[in-house]
Amino acid sequence: MNTTLAADRWQSVRDQLVGLPGGDGVNIAHEAVDRHVAEGFGSTIAMRFLGKHEAPDDAGEQYTYQRLATETSRFAHVLRGLGVWPGETVFLLAGRVPRLYVAALGALKGQHVVCPLFSAFGPEPIKQRMVLGNAAVLVTTASLYRRKIAGIRDELPVRHVILLDVDDQADAPPDTWAYGPLFDRAIGVFQITATSPETPALLHFTSGTTGTPKGALHVHDAVAMHRATTEQVFGLRRGDVYWCTADPGWVTGTSYGIIGPLTVGATLIVDEAEFDAQRWYQILEGQRVDVWYTAPTAIRMLMYAGAEAAAGIDLSSVQRAFSVGEPLSAEAVKWGIEHLAITFRDTWWQTETGAMMIANTAEDVVLAGSMGRPVCGIQAGLLTTTDAGEIVLDDSGHVIELDDPDRIGMIALRAGWPSMFRSYLDNEERYRKCFADGWYLAGDLARRDPSGSFWFVGRADDVIKTAGHLIGPFEVESVLNEHPDVTGSGVYGIPDPVAGEIIHARIVLRRGVEPTDQTISSVMAHARRRLGAAVAPREIVAVDRLPITRSGKVMRRVLRARELGLPEGDLSTLEGPVTDDQATDHEGSDS
Ligand code: WT7
């Protein structure tokens, strides 16, 4: 692929943006909000928020594009007024309430870097990410603050904590700000200053196999891809009603739960409540949803709830539905067609890619079980790997592309698309390792059929995918190892019909400690407190020893294979008691 051609390709994607007035660059919040007001669509409904206790067909709290423009401007002023500067990071930790969305878009107006966190995280993952991301501001709620932040506040770099649901400063705990008075004092017009497309905009944490979570940094240019894919894949147009069920604490909930659909002028539905099959069907019907973006875990839960849950519900408004995050089985696609008359279309991407890369678009005839084809000018290839999942280079140092339909290779994307991550925070080396010979290496294995459709095979490493979330085993192990009775642990995923995978742990106890129920419960309680229910292991079993590599790294794949009764492979394992030293030495090489 020659580079001029590639540059032109992205030019046409970028040409869909209006840019800041006066040729002052590109700002996500302008493309998502202010441009619609400028174009005369200020009275279109941008977002409809359904509170936890509101009926699924309620009008909810409505935000027109005009209201969103005004409130995000005020929030941009709030941050400026607190002395927060462009480039500083604003962390968000809250459920799906309107002010969270206002804060995200307002912070983008001010060129702050937005980092959403999942509100179900416990204090430990929150602290780790806020320290790594050098958080200047935390936007959260009074109850989350009390439960998760107050106890670790001294260890966080934040200068300001803003409590979204507090309207009177007298009700705010010491060293926090009530949103209400700050917001009331701020004016509703904010002129976005010149924003280079390369200005950092979004920070998303994602877990690898080893080490602490990585912070993938995205820039304002990403919005070109958010918009182009929203149009091409979803076929979403101005005024369409759109529902993304992902939480904004994850990349899907930001790229497609906020930004992409707003850039085309759609009306977004946001439901504060947790999953409930009947409620979901009622929302699809009651809100007259045109386009629905969800995940295989949710689809499996709908399947478990049985088609009865949809009985008597009119789903005819739903023109298209899409899925992301894990393999969408052919069985799930068939179930949707048969029981809901909805064809779920699979899409594939990653935190690092910032936007959909491979998908079954609105126009495509769906091949059940396939992830679809590259979208919006993306060039995707399959590269030859060793059995251990490492990329193979030829004699002249180039990667080797596969075109044989029966061969499995690593998914790779020709580098340079607008929403490509620009770095891993403080981890230049890790970033460099994601690229070879002009390709971004996705770490997923796939096949490609003669029609050019990709079929997912698995991950080249062993991160755990539970309920749609990627979790690095190391993150969980390091918390387990903190327990006074634990000297070492190995954490891995076990297939689960609902969550995709669930987390199991094997631990080695300190000499002299008996593996009683009480001991195990105490470790379990510690894990839940530190990690939150979403990330804590479901099962913890004490063992005498763990399989380790020569360098002392726990071989999680072996633990997993043992539990599942699979062959352990030709991995040269050393069986040994994990000493305190070895147990904490997981950061070492992958040997
Ligand atoms: C990993 C990325 C991108 C939004 C959500 C997840 C897996 C993603 C699919 C799919 C099979 C999929 C991959 C990928 N994945 N989509 N359609 N079929 N697997 O972002 O947390 O960065 O996870 O999710 O393994 O590498 P993420």
Coordinates of all heavy atoms in Angstrom, one line a residue, residues 404-476:
D404 N -4.3 -17.7 2.2 CA -4.9 -19.0 2.2 C -6.1 -19.0 3.1 O -6.0 -18.7 4.3 CB -3.9 -20.0 2.6 CG -4.5 -21.4 2.6 OD1 -5.7 -21.5 2.6 OD2 -3.7 -22.4 2.6
P405 N -7.3 -19.2 2.6 CA -8.5 -19.1 3.5 C -8.5 -20.1 4.7 O -9.3 -19.8 5.6 CB -9.7 -19.4 2.5 CG -9.1 -19.8 1.3 CD -7.6 -19.5 1.2
D406 N -7.7 -21.1 4.6 CA -7.8 -22.1 5.7 C -6.8 -21.8 6.8 O -6.9 -22.4 7.9 CB -7.6 -23.5 5.2 CG -8.7 -23.9 4.3 OD1 -9.8 -23.5 4.6 OD2 -8.4 -24.6 3.3
R407 N -5.9 -20.8 6.6 CA -4.9 -20.6 7.6 C -5.3 -19.6 8.6 O -6.1 -18.6 8.3 CB -3.6 -20.1 6.9 CG -3.0 -21.1 5.9 CD -2.0 -22.0 6.6 NE -1.0 -21.3 7.4 CZ 0.1 -20.9 6.9 NH1 0.4 -21.0 5.6 NH2 1.0 -20.3 7.7
I408 N -4.8 -19.8 9.8 CA -5.1 -18.8 10.9 C -3.9 -17.9 11.1 O -2.8 -18.3 11.1 CB -5.4 -19.6 12.2 CG1 -6.7 -20.4 12.1 CG2 -5.4 -18.7 13.4 CD1 -6.9 -21.4 13.2
G409 N -4.2 -16.6 11.2 CA -3.2 -15.6 11.4 C -3.6 -14.6 12.4 O -4.7 -14.6 12.9
M410 N -2.6 -13.7 12.7 CA -3.0 -12.6 13.6 C -3.6 -11.4 12.9 O -3.1 -11.0 11.8 CB -1.8 -12.1 14.4 CG -2.1 -11.0 15.4 SD -0.8 -10.4 16.3 CE -0.4 -11.8 17.4
I411 N -4.7 -10.9 13.4 CA -5.3 -9.7 12.8 C -4.3 -8.6 12.9 O -3.8 -8.3 14.0 CB -6.7 -9.4 13.4 CG1 -7.6 -10.6 13.3 CG2 -7.2 -8.1 12.7 CD1 -9.0 -10.3 14.0
A412 N -4.1 -7.9 11.8 CA -3.2 -6.7 11.8 C -3.9 -5.6 11.0 O -4.6 -5.9 10.0 CB -1.9 -7.0 11.2
L413 N -3.7 -4.4 11.3 CA -4.3 -3.3 10.6 C -3.2 -2.3 10.1 O -2.3 -2.0 10.9 CB -5.3 -2.5 11.5 CG -6.3 -3.4 12.2 CD1 -6.9 -2.7 13.5 CD2 -7.4 -3.8 11.3
R414 N -3.3 -1.9 8.9 CA -2.3 -1.0 8.3 C -2.4 0.3 9.2 O -3.5 0.9 9.4 CB -2.7 -0.7 6.9 CG -1.6 -0.3 6.0 CD -0.7 -1.4 5.7 NE 0.6 -0.8 5.2 CZ 1.7 -1.4 5.3 NH1 1.8 -2.6 5.8 NH2 2.8 -0.8 4.9
A415 N -1.3 0.7 9.8 CA -1.3 1.8 10.8 C -1.6 3.1 10.2 O -1.4 3.3 9.0 CB 0.1 1.9 11.4
G416 N -2.2 4.0 11.0 CA -2.4 5.4 10.5 C -3.8 5.9 10.4 O -4.1 7.0 10.0
W417 N -4.8 5.0 10.8 CA -6.2 5.5 10.8 C -6.4 6.5 11.9 O -5.7 6.5 12.9 CB -7.2 4.3 10.8 CG -7.2 3.6 12.1 CD1 -8.0 3.8 13.2 CD2 -6.3 2.6 12.6 NE1 -7.8 3.0 14.2 CE2 -6.7 2.2 13.9 CE3 -5.2 1.9 12.0 CZ2 -6.0 1.2 14.6 CZ3 -4.6 0.9 12.7 CH2 -5.0 0.6 14.0
P418 N -7.4 7.5 11.7 CA -7.5 8.6 12.6 C -7.7 8.2 14.1 O -7.2 8.9 15.0 CB -8.7 9.4 12.1 CG -8.8 9.0 10.6 CD -8.3 7.6 10.5
S419 N -8.5 7.1 14.4 CA -8.8 6.8 15.8 C -7.8 5.8 16.4 O -8.0 5.2 17.4 CB -10.2 6.3 15.9 OG -10.3 5.0 15.2
M420 N -6.7 5.6 15.7 CA -5.6 4.7 16.2 C -5.1 5.3 17.5 O -4.9 6.5 17.6 CB -4.5 4.5 15.2 CG -3.5 3.5 15.6 SD -2.2 3.3 14.3 CE -1.1 4.6 14.8
F421 N -4.9 4.5 18.6 CA -4.3 5.1 19.8 C -2.9 5.6 19.5 O -2.2 5.1 18.7 CB -4.3 4.1 20.9 CG -3.4 2.9 20.8 CD1 -2.6 2.5 21.9 CD2 -3.2 2.2 19.6 CE1 -1.7 1.4 21.7 CE2 -2.4 1.1 19.5 CZ -1.6 0.7 20.5
R422 N -2.5 6.7 20.2 CA -1.3 7.3 19.9 C -0.2 7.0 20.9 O 1.0 7.2 20.7 CB -1.4 8.9 19.9 CG -2.4 9.4 18.9 CD -2.0 9.0 17.4 NE -2.6 9.9 16.5 CZ -3.7 9.6 15.8 NH1 -4.3 8.4 16.0 NH2 -4.2 10.4 14.9
S423 N -0.6 6.4 22.0 CA 0.4 5.9 23.0 C -0.2 5.1 24.0 O -1.5 5.1 24.2 CB 1.2 7.1 23.6 OG 0.4 7.8 24.5
Y424 N 0.6 4.3 24.7 CA 0.2 3.8 26.0 C 0.9 4.7 27.0 O 2.1 4.9 27.0 CB 0.7 2.4 26.3 CG 0.0 1.2 25.6 CD1 0.7 0.3 24.9 CD2 -1.4 1.1 25.7 CE1 0.0 -0.8 24.3 CE2 -2.0 0.1 25.1 CZ -1.3 -0.9 24.4 OH -2.0 -1.9 23.8
L425 N 0.2 5.2 28.0 CA 0.8 6.1 29.0 C 2.0 5.5 29.6 O 1.9 4.4 30.1 CB -0.2 6.4 30.1 CG -1.3 7.4 29.9 CD1 -1.9 7.8 31.2 CD2 -0.8 8.7 29.2
D426 N 3.1 6.3 29.6 CA 4.3 5.9 30.3 C 4.8 4.5 29.9 O 5.3 3.8 30.7 CB 4.1 5.9 31.8 CG 3.9 7.2 32.3 OD1 4.4 8.2 31.7 OD2 3.2 7.4 33.4
N427 N 4.5 4.1 28.6 CA 4.9 2.8 28.3 C 5.2 2.7 26.8 O 4.6 2.0 26.0 CB 3.9 1.7 28.6 CG 4.5 0.4 28.9 OD1 5.6 0.1 28.4 ND2 3.9 -0.5 29.6
E428 N 6.2 3.5 26.4 CA 6.6 3.7 25.0 C 7.0 2.3 24.4 O 6.7 2.0 23.3 CB 7.8 4.6 25.0 CG 8.3 5.1 23.6 CD 7.1 5.7 22.8 OE1 6.3 6.4 23.3 OE2 7.1 5.3 21.6
E429 N 7.7 1.5 25.2 CA 8.2 0.2 24.6 C 7.0 -0.7 24.3 O 7.0 -1.3 23.3 CB 9.1 -0.4 25.7 CG 9.9 -1.6 25.1 CD 10.5 -2.4 26.2 OE1 10.8 -1.9 27.3 OE2 10.7 -3.6 25.9
R430 N 6.1 -0.7 25.2 CA 4.9 -1.6 25.0 C 4.1 -1.1 23.7 O 3.6 -1.9 23.0 CB 4.0 -1.4 26.2 CG 2.8 -2.3 26.3 CD 3.2 -3.5 27.0 NE 2.3 -4.6 26.6 CZ 2.0 -5.6 27.4 NH1 2.5 -5.7 28.6 NH2 1.1 -6.4 27.0
Y431 N 4.1 0.2 23.5 CA 3.4 0.7 22.3 C 4.1 0.3 21.1 O 3.5 -0.2 20.1 CB 3.4 2.3 22.4 CG 2.6 2.9 21.3 CD1 1.2 2.9 21.3 CD2 3.3 3.7 20.3 CE1 0.5 3.5 20.2 CE2 2.5 4.3 19.3 CZ 1.2 4.2 19.3 OH 0.5 4.8 18.3
R432 N 5.5 0.5 21.1 CA 6.3 0.1 19.9 C 6.1 -1.4 19.6 O 6.0 -1.8 18.4 CB 7.7 0.3 20.2 CG 8.2 1.6 19.6 CD 9.8 1.6 19.4 NE 10.5 0.9 20.4 CZ 10.9 1.4 21.6 NH1 10.6 2.7 21.9 NH2 11.5 0.6 22.5
K433 N 5.9 -2.2 20.6 CA 5.8 -3.7 20.3 C 4.4 -4.0 19.7 O 4.2 -5.1 19.2 CB 5.8 -4.4 21.7 CG 7.3 -4.7 22.2 CD 7.2 -5.7 23.3 CE 8.6 -5.9 23.9 NZ 8.4 -6.3 25.3
C434 N 3.5 -3.1 19.7 CA 2.2 -3.3 19.0 C 2.3 -3.2 17.5 O 1.3 -3.4 16.8 CB 1.2 -2.3 19.5 SG 0.7 -2.6 21.2
F435 N 3.5 -2.7 17.0 CA 3.6 -2.5 15.6 C 4.7 -3.2 15.0 O 5.7 -3.5 15.6 CB 3.8 -1.0 15.3 CG 2.7 -0.1 15.8 CD1 2.6 0.4 17.1 CD2 1.6 0.2 14.9 CE1 1.5 1.1 17.5 CE2 0.5 1.0 15.4 CZ 0.5 1.5 16.7
A436 N 4.5 -3.7 13.7 CA 5.6 -4.3 13.0 C 5.5 -4.0 11.5 O 4.3 -4.1 11.0 CB 5.6 -5.8 13.2
D437 N 6.5 -3.4 10.9 CA 6.5 -3.3 9.4 C 5.3 -2.5 8.9 O 4.7 -2.8 7.9 CB 6.4 -4.7 8.8 CG 6.8 -4.7 7.3 OD1 7.4 -3.7 6.9 OD2 6.5 -5.7 6.7
G438 N 4.9 -1.4 9.7 CA 3.8 -0.6 9.3 C 2.4 -1.1 9.6 O 1.4 -0.5 9.3
W439 N 2.4 -2.2 10.4 CA 1.1 -2.8 10.8 C 0.9 -2.7 12.3 O 1.8 -2.8 13.0 CB 1.0 -4.3 10.4 CG 1.0 -4.7 9.0 CD1 2.1 -4.9 8.2 CD2 -0.1 -4.9 8.2 NE1 1.7 -5.2 7.0 CE2 0.4 -5.2 6.9 CE3 -1.5 -4.8 8.4 CZ2 -0.5 -5.5 5.8 CZ3 -2.4 -5.1 7.4 CH2 -1.9 -5.5 6.1
Y440 N -0.3 -2.5 12.7 CA -0.7 -2.6 14.1 C -1.1 -4.1 14.3 O -1.9 -4.6 13.6 CB -1.9 -1.7 14.5 CG -2.5 -2.1 15.8 CD1 -1.8 -1.8 17.0 CD2 -3.8 -2.7 15.8 CE1 -2.4 -2.2 18.2 CE2 -4.3 -3.1 17.0 CZ -3.6 -2.8 18.2 OH -4.2 -3.2 19.4
L441 N -0.5 -4.7 15.3 CA -0.8 -6.1 15.6 C -1.8 -6.2 16.7 O -1.6 -5.8 17.8 CB 0.5 -6.8 16.1 CG 1.8 -6.5 15.2 CD1 3.0 -7.1 15.9 CD2 1.6 -7.1 13.8
A442 N -3.0 -6.8 16.3 CA -4.1 -6.8 17.2 C -4.1 -7.8 18.3 O -4.8 -7.7 19.3 CB -5.4 -6.9 16.4
G443 N -3.3 -8.9 18.2 CA -3.2 -9.9 19.2 C -4.3 -10.9 19.1 O -4.3 -11.9 19.9
D444 N -5.3 -10.7 18.2 CA -6.3 -11.7 18.0 C -6.0 -12.6 16.8 O -5.4 -12.1 15.8 CB -7.7 -11.0 17.7 CG -8.3 -10.4 18.9 OD1 -7.8 -10.7 20.0 OD2 -9.3 -9.7 18.8
L445 N -6.4 -13.8 16.9 CA -6.2 -14.7 15.8 C -7.5 -14.9 15.0 O -8.6 -14.9 15.6 CB -5.7 -16.1 16.3 CG -4.4 -16.1 17.1 CD1 -4.1 -17.4 17.6 CD2 -3.3 -15.5 16.3
A446 N -7.4 -15.0 13.7 CA -8.6 -15.2 12.9 C -8.3 -15.9 11.6 O -7.2 -16.1 11.2 CB -9.2 -13.8 12.6
R447 N -9.4 -16.3 10.9 CA -9.3 -16.8 9.5 C -10.1 -15.8 8.6 O -10.9 -15.0 9.1 CB -10.1 -18.1 9.4 CG -9.5 -19.3 10.0 CD -10.3 -20.5 9.6 NE -11.7 -20.5 10.1 CZ -12.8 -20.5 9.2 NH1 -12.6 -20.4 7.9 NH2 -14.0 -20.5 9.7
R448 N -9.8 -15.9 7.3 CA -10.5 -15.0 6.4 C -11.0 -15.9 5.2 O -10.2 -16.6 4.7 CB -9.6 -13.9 5.9 CG -10.3 -13.0 4.9 CD -9.4 -11.8 4.6 NE -8.0 -12.2 4.4 CZ -7.0 -11.3 4.3 NH1 -7.2 -10.0 4.5 NH2 -5.8 -11.7 4.1
D449 N -12.3 -15.8 4.9 CA -12.8 -16.7 3.9 C -12.6 -16.0 2.5 O -12.2 -14.8 2.4 CB -14.3 -17.1 4.1 CG -15.3 -15.9 4.0 OD1 -14.9 -14.9 3.4 OD2 -16.4 -16.0 4.6
P450 N -12.9 -16.7 1.4 CA -12.7 -16.1 0.1 C -13.5 -14.8 -0.2 O -13.1 -14.0 -1.0 CB -13.1 -17.2 -0.9 CG -13.0 -18.5 -0.1 CD -13.3 -18.1 1.3
S451 N -14.5 -14.6 0.6 CA -15.3 -13.3 0.4 C -14.7 -12.2 1.1 O -15.1 -11.0 1.0 CB -16.7 -13.5 0.9 OG -16.8 -13.4 2.3
G452 N -13.6 -12.5 1.9 CA -12.9 -11.4 2.6 C -13.5 -11.2 4.0 O -13.1 -10.3 4.7
S453 N -14.4 -12.1 4.4 CA -15.0 -12.0 5.8 C -14.0 -12.6 6.8 O -13.5 -13.7 6.5 CB -16.3 -12.7 5.8 OG -17.2 -12.0 5.0
F454 N -13.9 -12.0 8.0 CA -13.1 -12.5 9.0 C -13.9 -13.4 10.0 O -15.0 -13.0 10.3 CB -12.4 -11.3 9.8 CG -11.3 -10.7 9.0 CD1 -11.6 -9.9 7.9 CD2 -10.0 -10.9 9.4 CE1 -10.5 -9.3 7.2 CE2 -8.9 -10.3 8.7 CZ -9.2 -9.5 7.6
W455 N -13.2 -14.4 10.5 CA -13.8 -15.3 11.5 C -12.9 -15.4 12.7 O -11.7 -15.8 12.5 CB -14.0 -16.7 10.8 CG -14.9 -16.7 9.6 CD1 -14.6 -16.2 8.4 CD2 -16.3 -17.1 9.6 NE1 -15.7 -16.3 7.6 CE2 -16.8 -16.8 8.3 CE3 -17.2 -17.7 10.5 CZ2 -18.1 -17.1 7.9 CZ3 -18.5 -17.9 10.1 CH2 -18.9 -17.7 8.8
F456 N -13.4 -15.1 13.8 CA -12.6 -15.0 15.0 C -12.2 -16.4 15.5 O -13.0 -17.3 15.5 CB -13.4 -14.3 16.1 CG -12.7 -14.0 17.4 CD1 -11.8 -13.0 17.5 CD2 -12.9 -14.8 18.5 CE1 -11.1 -12.7 18.6 CE2 -12.2 -14.6 19.7 CZ -11.3 -13.5 19.8
V457 N -10.9 -16.5 15.9 CA -10.4 -17.8 16.4 C -10.1 -17.7 17.9 O -10.5 -18.6 18.7 CB -9.2 -18.2 15.6 CG1 -8.5 -19.4 16.3 CG2 -9.6 -18.5 14.2
G458 N -9.4 -16.6 18.4 CA -9.1 -16.6 19.8 C -8.1 -15.5 20.0 O -7.7 -14.8 19.0
R459 N -7.6 -15.4 21.2 CA -6.6 -14.4 21.5 C -5.3 -15.0 21.6 O -5.1 -16.2 22.0 CB -6.9 -13.7 22.8 CG -8.0 -12.6 22.7 CD -8.1 -11.8 23.9 NE -7.0 -11.0 24.1 CZ -6.7 -9.8 23.6 NH1 -7.6 -9.3 22.7 NH2 -5.7 -9.1 23.8
A460 N -4.3 -14.3 21.1 CA -2.9 -14.9 21.1 C -2.3 -15.0 22.5 O -1.4 -15.7 22.8 CB -2.0 -14.2 20.2
D461 N -2.9 -14.2 23.4 CA -2.4 -14.3 24.8 C -3.5 -14.8 25.7 O -4.5 -15.3 25.2 CB -1.8 -13.0 25.2 CG -2.8 -11.9 25.1 OD1 -4.0 -12.2 25.2 OD2 -2.4 -10.7 25.0
D462 N -3.4 -14.6 27.0 CA -4.4 -15.2 27.8 C -5.2 -14.2 28.7 O -5.5 -14.6 29.9 CB -3.7 -16.3 28.7 CG -2.6 -15.7 29.5 OD1 -2.3 -14.5 29.5 OD2 -1.9 -16.5 30.2
V463 N -5.5 -13.1 28.2 CA -6.3 -12.2 29.0 C -7.7 -12.8 29.1 O -8.1 -13.6 28.3 CB -6.5 -10.8 28.4 CG1 -5.2 -10.0 28.5 CG2 -7.0 -10.8 27.0
I464 N -8.4 -12.4 30.1 CA -9.7 -13.0 30.4 C -10.8 -12.0 29.9 O -10.7 -10.8 30.1 CB -9.9 -13.2 31.9 CG1 -8.8 -14.1 32.4 CG2 -11.3 -13.8 32.2 CD1 -8.6 -14.1 33.9
K465 N -11.8 -12.6 29.3 CA -12.9 -11.7 28.8 C -14.1 -12.1 29.5 O -14.7 -13.2 29.3 CB -13.0 -12.0 27.3 CG -13.9 -11.1 26.6 CD -13.1 -10.0 26.0 CE -13.8 -8.7 25.9 NZ -13.6 -7.9 24.7
T466 N -14.5 -11.3 30.5 CA -15.7 -11.7 31.3 C -16.8 -10.6 31.1 O -16.5 -9.5 31.3 CB -15.3 -12.0 32.8 OG1 -16.5 -12.4 33.4 CG2 -14.7 -10.8 33.5
A467 N -18.0 -11.1 30.8 CA -19.1 -10.2 30.6 C -18.7 -9.0 29.7 O -19.1 -7.8 29.9 CB -19.7 -9.7 31.9
G468 N -17.9 -9.3 28.7 CA -17.5 -8.2 27.7 C -16.3 -7.4 28.2 O -15.9 -6.5 27.4
H469 N -15.8 -7.6 29.4 CA -14.7 -6.8 29.8 C -13.4 -7.6 29.8 O -13.3 -8.7 30.2 CB -14.9 -6.3 31.2 CG -16.3 -5.7 31.4 ND1 -16.8 -4.8 30.5 CD2 -17.2 -5.8 32.4 CE1 -18.0 -4.4 30.9 NE2 -18.3 -5.0 32.0
L470 N -12.3 -6.9 29.3 CA -11.0 -7.6 29.3 C -10.3 -7.4 30.7 O -10.2 -6.2 31.1 CB -10.1 -6.9 28.3 CG -10.1 -7.5 26.9 CD1 -9.0 -6.8 26.1 CD2 -9.9 -9.0 26.9
I471 N -9.9 -8.5 31.2 CA -9.2 -8.3 32.5 C -7.9 -9.0 32.5 O -7.8 -10.2 32.0 CB -10.2 -8.9 33.6 CG1 -11.4 -8.0 33.8 CG2 -9.4 -9.1 34.9 CD1 -12.5 -8.6 34.5
G472 N -6.9 -8.3 32.9 CA -5.5 -8.9 32.9 C -5.4 -9.7 34.2 O -5.7 -9.2 35.3
P473 N -5.0 -11.0 34.1 CA -4.9 -11.8 35.3 C -3.9 -11.2 36.4 O -4.2 -11.4 37.6 CB -4.3 -13.2 34.8 CG -4.4 -13.1 33.3 CD -4.6 -11.7 32.9
F474 N -2.9 -10.5 35.9 CA -2.0 -10.0 36.8 C -2.6 -9.0 37.8 O -2.2 -9.0 39.0 CB -0.8 -9.3 36.1 CG 0.2 -8.6 37.0 CD1 1.1 -9.4 37.7 CD2 0.1 -7.3 37.2 CE1 2.0 -8.8 38.6 CE2 1.0 -6.7 38.0 CZ 1.9 -7.4 38.7
E475 N -3.5 -8.3 37.3 CA -4.2 -7.3 38.1 C -4.9 -8.0 39.3 O -4.9 -7.5 40.4 CB -5.3 -6.6 37.3 CG -5.7 -5.2 37.7 CD -6.7 -4.6 36.8 OE1 -7.0 -5.2 35.7 OE2 -7.3 -3.6 37.2
V476 N -5.5 -9.1 39.0 CA -6.3 -9.8 40.1 C -5.3 -10.5 41.0 O -5.4 -10.5 42.2 CB -7.2 -10.8 39.4 CG1 -8.0 -11.6 40.4 CG2 -8.2 -10.1 38.4

